[in-house]
Amino acid sequence: MHKLWASTYKEFLLLTRDIGGLAVLFVMPLLLVITITTIQDGTFKTLEALKIPLLLVDRDQGDVSRNIHENLTASELFEVTRGHDEAKAREMVQKGTYQLAIVIPENLSRDLDLKITENVESVLSKFGLETDSVPRPRSKLEPKEVKLYFDPTTQQSFKSSVRSNINQMISEIESQTIYKAFQEQLAEDESEEIFDTGHFISFTEIDPTNDRPSLVPNSTQHNIPAWTLFAIFFIMLPLGINMVQEKNQGTFVRLRTQPVSYATVLGGKALIFLLVSLIQFALMILVGLYLFPLIGLPKLEVAGRLPLLLVVALFAGLAAVGLGLLLGTIAKTQEQSAPFAATFVVILAAIGGVWVPVFAMPRFMQTLSNLSPMNWGLNAFYDVFLRNVGFREILPEIALLFVFFVLTTLIAMGYNNRKNAL
Amino acid sequence: MIEINQLSKKYKGADHFSVHNMDLRIGEGEIFGLLGPNGAGKTTLISILCSLLKPTSGSFSINGLNYASNKKELKQLIGIVPQEYALYPSLTAFENLVYFGSMYGLKGKSLKDDIAEHLNTLGLSDFAHRPIKTFSGGMKRRVNLISGILHRPQVLFLDEPTVGVDVQSRNAIIEHLEQLNAQGTTIVYTSHHLNEAEQFCTRVAIIDRGKVICKGAPKTLIAQHRNAEHLEDLFLALTGKALRDHA
């Protein structure tokens, strides 16, 4: 026990003597989480506050185009500018002056009205009902096409969203026109309302969390757990460097000649770097609680969840330490350990769902993400943060993290024993 | 006593043995010098005796113990002063010594008193609480030596303990080692300083290409060879003047 304590104290001294290393260890993840959350939050705010510039070329000049214009303006999503020339509109979108241009074809209102009136008359005559107008031969109307021009840099998801909104808007106008045509044909007087034109089907979003209060997910609730895990796993970089330095300084050679087990040497490192990971977690939480509101970001909500969050951080820290010990044991030079650790953490984060949610990944990557300890940690954090579950529900994830720590540490010890067997 | 029987070591991929069928006996209380040109096998032999390398064949024992069955006891019994400084540069001399002493199970006031005493004897008391990275080569060598002797080992292995240090530091190191030997510590050391070895060692072995080519008390060996006035003359006569660079 005395040797373990001495090893731990030595690691503490080594860590605290390297001010630059400490700064990188604690400040860089904080900068990362602040930057990413600010960007993500800013993106949402931009979409809400800054309207998307849209050019509307109205070649119809009728009720339908007026309706579209009113709907677009009312949606508060777009900054609508009227244009007259389709070719020019196309050119301006191409140059990026406008994110989007909508070209409403000529005579859309007139032809839509005509088409619907004809259809309504046809339907009514089938029922043997008289119509107000004199029956006429059916006109040959070409289907109308509303053209959408998108800036080439526009993301597919944004295109789909806008397309769906415009489509919904036009469908609404079409159905209202149909109702209006029937109303005109069937109503005894203008004040009589034959149809209830209100929406019959509506959508209600239900929170699946039962009786426990849940949080509305925002950029902070997503980013703090994700980047806390990134920071925790980032310790494999300094831990790997620490161990390789010992080999290069010759201190590890001295330790090998002393009556101390490799487990004790690793134990001292594990305890200190586990403490580092918990400090990183605490700093991230503090930043989310106190700094984010000051810089206009959503405040982190942790009410009543701190003990469980700490448990997740502890086991994630153990997994990260295990990985660092294994890397430090195998690597011979800093040129091997540092780039590997930096890249590997990014890979673990990517397949773990830190950047892109796992459900949005290809099937193969979804399967692969199950192997990332960062994914286990992230799921456990999200379970606590967003699903507000209890200890029992996160048990599988923290058990996996613990098994990962035990396995990586045992492999490190086995590798060292094999390498230095006498 | 150290008994080495038919000990051999061939590194992976090497085309020759670094230590080849070596037989050697080093008595208790001796100051034994392992001398030889670069690549002769001195460091390899010391590394095997200190449990850092596994021999390819052969066996050895130190005070009747071997690593296969008495690893922990043997490690407690020996001390090593490696050729590299083997110290943490950002820790102070005192912190380094407390840590390495703790690894031998030493603790408390007695450890601190021992450290203070060694630092005082080797002229480092005023620098005890300064980081090693601020030390000169000679100062680092002295701290390196203290790290290996804090637990009062019965057998001390030193791999070129005086390389690259000034005359004063070398003198302080040698005097300290002589004091240790007087207290009963067996010393096995390698060096390229043949004059130093001639003065310091009770017996030496000249090793070349992994084999002992001559061993005995320095004065006896010199006397046995015509035209040899010093150990260096004998050394050159036995190992030749050709350069021994090796990678």
PDB file of all heavy atoms in Angstrom, chain A residues 77-93:
ATOM      1  N   LEU A  77     -39.601  32.417 -41.582  1.00  0.00           N
ATOM      2  CA  LEU A  77     -38.372  31.668 -41.855  1.00  0.00           C
ATOM      3  C   LEU A  77     -37.593  32.341 -42.989  1.00  0.00           C
ATOM      4  O   LEU A  77     -36.376  32.222 -43.084  1.00  0.00           O
ATOM      5  CB  LEU A  77     -38.754  30.226 -42.246  1.00  0.00           C
ATOM      6  CG  LEU A  77     -37.651  29.202 -42.308  1.00  0.00           C
ATOM      7  CD1 LEU A  77     -37.063  28.967 -40.925  1.00  0.00           C
ATOM      8  CD2 LEU A  77     -38.190  27.870 -42.843  1.00  0.00           C
ATOM      9  N   PHE A  78     -38.333  33.062 -43.824  1.00  0.00           N
ATOM     10  CA  PHE A  78     -37.714  33.610 -45.037  1.00  0.00           C
ATOM     11  C   PHE A  78     -37.806  35.140 -45.100  1.00  0.00           C
ATOM     12  O   PHE A  78     -38.748  35.742 -44.606  1.00  0.00           O
ATOM     13  CB  PHE A  78     -38.415  33.046 -46.283  1.00  0.00           C
ATOM     14  CG  PHE A  78     -38.408  31.552 -46.342  1.00  0.00           C
ATOM     15  CD1 PHE A  78     -39.537  30.819 -46.000  1.00  0.00           C
ATOM     16  CD2 PHE A  78     -37.267  30.865 -46.725  1.00  0.00           C
ATOM     17  CE1 PHE A  78     -39.540  29.443 -46.049  1.00  0.00           C
ATOM     18  CE2 PHE A  78     -37.257  29.478 -46.773  1.00  0.00           C
ATOM     19  CZ  PHE A  78     -38.400  28.759 -46.434  1.00  0.00           C
ATOM     20  N   GLU A  79     -36.835  35.697 -45.741  1.00  0.00           N
ATOM     21  CA  GLU A  79     -36.830  37.120 -46.082  1.00  0.00           C
ATOM     22  C   GLU A  79     -37.193  37.150 -47.558  1.00  0.00           C
ATOM     23  O   GLU A  79     -36.352  36.864 -48.424  1.00  0.00           O
ATOM     24  CB  GLU A  79     -35.410  37.668 -45.846  1.00  0.00           C
ATOM     25  CG  GLU A  79     -35.157  39.042 -46.378  1.00  0.00           C
ATOM     26  CD  GLU A  79     -35.295  40.072 -45.275  1.00  0.00           C
ATOM     27  OE1 GLU A  79     -34.611  39.907 -44.261  1.00  0.00           O
ATOM     28  OE2 GLU A  79     -36.107  41.002 -45.455  1.00  0.00           O
ATOM     29  N   VAL A  80     -38.460  37.449 -47.853  1.00  0.00           N
ATOM     30  CA  VAL A  80     -38.940  37.297 -49.229  1.00  0.00           C
ATOM     31  C   VAL A  80     -38.710  38.574 -50.037  1.00  0.00           C
ATOM     32  O   VAL A  80     -39.078  39.667 -49.612  1.00  0.00           O
ATOM     33  CB  VAL A  80     -40.446  36.934 -49.240  1.00  0.00           C
ATOM     34  CG1 VAL A  80     -40.926  36.684 -50.665  1.00  0.00           C
ATOM     35  CG2 VAL A  80     -40.698  35.721 -48.363  1.00  0.00           C
ATOM     36  N   THR A  81     -38.077  38.401 -51.189  1.00  0.00           N
ATOM     37  CA  THR A  81     -37.890  39.507 -52.130  1.00  0.00           C
ATOM     38  C   THR A  81     -38.589  39.107 -53.424  1.00  0.00           C
ATOM     39  O   THR A  81     -38.487  37.950 -53.842  1.00  0.00           O
ATOM     40  CB  THR A  81     -36.382  39.744 -52.416  1.00  0.00           C
ATOM     41  OG1 THR A  81     -35.727  39.902 -51.164  1.00  0.00           O
ATOM     42  CG2 THR A  81     -36.152  40.956 -53.294  1.00  0.00           C
ATOM     43  N   ARG A  82     -39.267  40.036 -54.002  1.00  0.00           N
ATOM     44  CA  ARG A  82     -39.969  39.702 -55.245  1.00  0.00           C
ATOM     45  C   ARG A  82     -39.040  39.918 -56.434  1.00  0.00           C
ATOM     46  O   ARG A  82     -38.299  40.891 -56.506  1.00  0.00           O
ATOM     47  CB  ARG A  82     -41.215  40.568 -55.404  1.00  0.00           C
ATOM     48  CG  ARG A  82     -42.384  40.068 -54.555  1.00  0.00           C
ATOM     49  CD  ARG A  82     -43.619  40.885 -54.847  1.00  0.00           C
ATOM     50  NE  ARG A  82     -44.770  40.378 -54.123  1.00  0.00           N
ATOM     51  CZ  ARG A  82     -45.543  39.385 -54.571  1.00  0.00           C
ATOM     52  NH1 ARG A  82     -45.278  38.797 -55.723  1.00  0.00           N
ATOM     53  NH2 ARG A  82     -46.595  39.001 -53.870  1.00  0.00           N
ATOM     54  N   GLY A  83     -39.083  38.976 -57.374  1.00  0.00           N
ATOM     55  CA  GLY A  83     -38.304  39.111 -58.602  1.00  0.00           C
ATOM     56  C   GLY A  83     -39.223  38.928 -59.794  1.00  0.00           C
ATOM     57  O   GLY A  83     -40.377  38.519 -59.636  1.00  0.00           O
ATOM     58  N   HIS A  84     -38.687  39.190 -60.984  1.00  0.00           N
ATOM     59  CA  HIS A  84     -39.564  39.106 -62.167  1.00  0.00           C
ATOM     60  C   HIS A  84     -39.005  38.188 -63.243  1.00  0.00           C
ATOM     61  O   HIS A  84     -39.734  37.713 -64.091  1.00  0.00           O
ATOM     62  CB  HIS A  84     -39.791  40.508 -62.742  1.00  0.00           C
ATOM     63  CG  HIS A  84     -40.364  41.449 -61.722  1.00  0.00           C
ATOM     64  ND1 HIS A  84     -41.676  41.365 -61.295  1.00  0.00           N
ATOM     65  CD2 HIS A  84     -39.797  42.448 -61.000  1.00  0.00           C
ATOM     66  CE1 HIS A  84     -41.886  42.288 -60.364  1.00  0.00           C
ATOM     67  NE2 HIS A  84     -40.751  42.949 -60.164  1.00  0.00           N
ATOM     68  N   ASP A  85     -37.692  37.966 -63.180  1.00  0.00           N
ATOM     69  CA  ASP A  85     -37.047  37.248 -64.278  1.00  0.00           C
ATOM     70  C   ASP A  85     -36.468  35.921 -63.766  1.00  0.00           C
ATOM     71  O   ASP A  85     -35.623  35.901 -62.862  1.00  0.00           O
ATOM     72  CB  ASP A  85     -35.927  38.147 -64.824  1.00  0.00           C
ATOM     73  CG  ASP A  85     -35.249  37.540 -66.031  1.00  0.00           C
ATOM     74  OD1 ASP A  85     -35.554  36.380 -66.354  1.00  0.00           O
ATOM     75  OD2 ASP A  85     -34.395  38.223 -66.630  1.00  0.00           O
ATOM     76  N   GLU A  86     -36.930  34.829 -64.319  1.00  0.00           N
ATOM     77  CA  GLU A  86     -36.489  33.500 -63.849  1.00  0.00           C
ATOM     78  C   GLU A  86     -34.990  33.287 -64.073  1.00  0.00           C
ATOM     79  O   GLU A  86     -34.290  32.770 -63.197  1.00  0.00           O
ATOM     80  CB  GLU A  86     -37.279  32.401 -64.569  1.00  0.00           C
ATOM     81  CG  GLU A  86     -36.905  31.019 -64.052  1.00  0.00           C
ATOM     82  CD  GLU A  86     -37.707  29.901 -64.685  1.00  0.00           C
ATOM     83  OE1 GLU A  86     -38.727  30.185 -65.332  1.00  0.00           O
ATOM     84  OE2 GLU A  86     -37.281  28.752 -64.507  1.00  0.00           O
ATOM     85  N   ALA A  87     -34.493  33.718 -65.244  1.00  0.00           N
ATOM     86  CA  ALA A  87     -33.072  33.517 -65.560  1.00  0.00           C
ATOM     87  C   ALA A  87     -32.187  34.274 -64.570  1.00  0.00           C
ATOM     88  O   ALA A  87     -31.153  33.772 -64.108  1.00  0.00           O
ATOM     89  CB  ALA A  87     -32.792  33.982 -66.984  1.00  0.00           C
ATOM     90  N   LYS A  88     -32.632  35.492 -64.254  1.00  0.00           N
ATOM     91  CA  LYS A  88     -31.857  36.315 -63.319  1.00  0.00           C
ATOM     92  C   LYS A  88     -31.888  35.699 -61.913  1.00  0.00           C
ATOM     93  O   LYS A  88     -30.875  35.687 -61.191  1.00  0.00           O
ATOM     94  CB  LYS A  88     -32.438  37.729 -63.293  1.00  0.00           C
ATOM     95  CG  LYS A  88     -31.437  38.752 -62.833  1.00  0.00           C
ATOM     96  CD  LYS A  88     -31.935  40.141 -63.115  1.00  0.00           C
ATOM     97  CE  LYS A  88     -30.885  41.146 -62.616  1.00  0.00           C
ATOM     98  NZ  LYS A  88     -31.339  42.516 -62.801  1.00  0.00           N
ATOM     99  N   ALA A  89     -33.069  35.200 -61.563  1.00  0.00           N
ATOM    100  CA  ALA A  89     -33.218  34.561 -60.243  1.00  0.00           C
ATOM    101  C   ALA A  89     -32.282  33.358 -60.136  1.00  0.00           C
ATOM    102  O   ALA A  89     -31.589  33.172 -59.134  1.00  0.00           O
ATOM    103  CB  ALA A  89     -34.659  34.114 -60.057  1.00  0.00           C
ATOM    104  N   ARG A  90     -32.235  32.602 -61.186  1.00  0.00           N
ATOM    105  CA  ARG A  90     -31.369  31.413 -61.223  1.00  0.00           C
ATOM    106  C   ARG A  90     -29.903  31.820 -61.038  1.00  0.00           C
ATOM    107  O   ARG A  90     -29.154  31.185 -60.279  1.00  0.00           O
ATOM    108  CB  ARG A  90     -31.579  30.738 -62.581  1.00  0.00           C
ATOM    109  CG  ARG A  90     -30.808  29.473 -62.755  1.00  0.00           C
ATOM    110  CD  ARG A  90     -31.068  28.909 -64.128  1.00  0.00           C
ATOM    111  NE  ARG A  90     -30.357  27.668 -64.304  1.00  0.00           N
ATOM    112  CZ  ARG A  90     -30.705  26.736 -65.157  1.00  0.00           C
ATOM    113  NH1 ARG A  90     -31.779  26.902 -65.914  1.00  0.00           N
ATOM    114  NH2 ARG A  90     -30.003  25.645 -65.263  1.00  0.00           N
ATOM    115  N   GLU A  91     -29.534  32.898 -61.727  1.00  0.00           N
ATOM    116  CA  GLU A  91     -28.155  33.378 -61.671  1.00  0.00           C
ATOM    117  C   GLU A  91     -27.808  33.854 -60.246  1.00  0.00           C
ATOM    118  O   GLU A  91     -26.722  33.575 -59.734  1.00  0.00           O
ATOM    119  CB  GLU A  91     -28.016  34.527 -62.674  1.00  0.00           C
ATOM    120  CG  GLU A  91     -26.578  34.951 -62.921  1.00  0.00           C
ATOM    121  CD  GLU A  91     -26.517  36.205 -63.781  1.00  0.00           C
ATOM    122  OE1 GLU A  91     -27.320  36.314 -64.740  1.00  0.00           O
ATOM    123  OE2 GLU A  91     -25.697  37.077 -63.457  1.00  0.00           O
ATOM    124  N   MET A  92     -28.753  34.567 -59.624  1.00  0.00           N
ATOM    125  CA  MET A  92     -28.495  35.099 -58.282  1.00  0.00           C
ATOM    126  C   MET A  92     -28.393  33.978 -57.240  1.00  0.00           C
ATOM    127  O   MET A  92     -27.613  34.068 -56.279  1.00  0.00           O
ATOM    128  CB  MET A  92     -29.587  36.100 -57.891  1.00  0.00           C
ATOM    129  CG  MET A  92     -29.457  37.380 -58.707  1.00  0.00           C
ATOM    130  SD  MET A  92     -30.814  38.483 -58.424  1.00  0.00           S
ATOM    131  CE  MET A  92     -30.124  39.543 -57.196  1.00  0.00           C
ATOM    132  N   VAL A  93     -29.175  32.925 -57.423  1.00  0.00           N
ATOM    133  CA  VAL A  93     -29.080  31.781 -56.504  1.00  0.00           C
ATOM    134  C   VAL A  93     -27.746  31.069 -56.725  1.00  0.00           C
ATOM    135  O   VAL A  93     -27.059  30.674 -55.777  1.00  0.00           O
ATOM    136  CB  VAL A  93     -30.269  30.811 -56.693  1.00  0.00           C
ATOM    137  CG1 VAL A  93     -30.067  29.536 -55.906  1.00  0.00           C
ATOM    138  CG2 VAL A  93     -31.560  31.477 -56.264  1.00  0.00           C
TER     139      VAL A  93
END
